[in-house]
Amino acid sequence: MTDTTAAPLGVRLVRKVSSTRLFARLAPHVIPRLDHAVHRLTHGRVLPSTRMLPGLVLTARGAKSGLPRAIPLACMAEPDGSWILIGSNFGRPDHPAWTANLLAFPDAEVSWKGEDIPVTARLLTGEERAEVWARTLRFWPPYAVYQARIPRTIRLFRVTRRS
């Protein structure tokens, strides 16, 4: 899905809708809850939001509480088996809580296509972040709209399997 003009009509429509402020206001309350409920009911086999974007469920310790927190997230699966997590928070002003959790406790777990995988997360910076951000925008162009709308820099994490 790197060529925006070649994307199917449904994908182009979702990209347009997901760039709106109304979507940014409503989606964080609906999409994660729906994903989490369906993921639980299907024992990790189904995430509804993956019809448009690849997704996983991240379970990380809470930065303040230390308790496990599970959140469904869109991701970019990398050829080397790692994943890129994008802290867009649907273009809202604050960083999503899960990014603070990973900064405090980088060892976490992802549920990917029904498999629970221990991982370590690393915040991307500098040239590596710039290169991944460029690929992220080709992957899902609405991220550019989200970034333009907010003063913070959207956090990107590379999540790799732990041995």
Side-chain angles (χ1 to χ4, degrees):
M1 270 195 280
T2 56
D3 181 357
T4 4
T5 58
L9 177 61
V11 172
R12 290 194 318 260
L13 179 62
V14 169
R15 285 177 176 168
K16 188 165 190 73
V17 169
S18 69
S19 297
T20 67
R21 289 185 188 276
L22 180 61
F23 182 86
R25 199 171 310 129
L26 298 178
H29 304 289
V30 176
I31 293 173
R33 285 187 177 124
L34 177 64
D35 271 348
H36 194 50
V38 172
H39 186 262
R40 196 173 346 168
L41 288 171
T42 63
H43 304 286
R45 291 187 303 273
V46 178
L47 273 177
S49 63
T50 61
R51 303 283 295 160
M52 289 296 147
L53 289 169
L56 52 75
V57 174
L58 171 72
T59 302
R61 290 173 43 196
K64 294 178 184 172
S65 71
L67 299 173
R69 304 290 185 208
I71 182 87
L73 299 171
C75 66
M76 283 188 349
E78 296 283 271
D80 66 0
S82 67
W83 298 269
I84 301 298
L85 302 181
I86 302 103
S88 70
N89 207 13
F90 299 95
R92 293 162 56 193
D94 297 325
H95 289 289
W98 64 263
T99 66
N101 296 347
L102 289 181
L103 290 171
F105 300 106
D107 287 344
E109 183 175 277
V110 298
S111 176
W112 172 253
K113 298 182 178 179
E115 181 184 0
D116 293 331
I117 303 164
V119 296
T120 299
R122 182 173 54 83
L123 180 66
L124 301 183
T125 59
E127 289 181 25
E128 182 184 22
R129 187 202 179 280
E131 184 272 322
V132 170
W133 180 247
R135 286 192 296 113
T136 301
L137 296 182
R138 289 191 300 274
F139 170 74
W140 194 250
Y143 288 134
V145 174
Y146 295 172
Q147 184 60 81
R149 184 183 297 156
I150 55 177
R152 68 178 173 85
T153 299
I154 291 174
R155 292 175 176 160
L156 301 179
F157 287 85
R158 180 176 304 280
V159 178
T160 55
R161 293 173 187 258
R162 270 187 282 141
S163 313

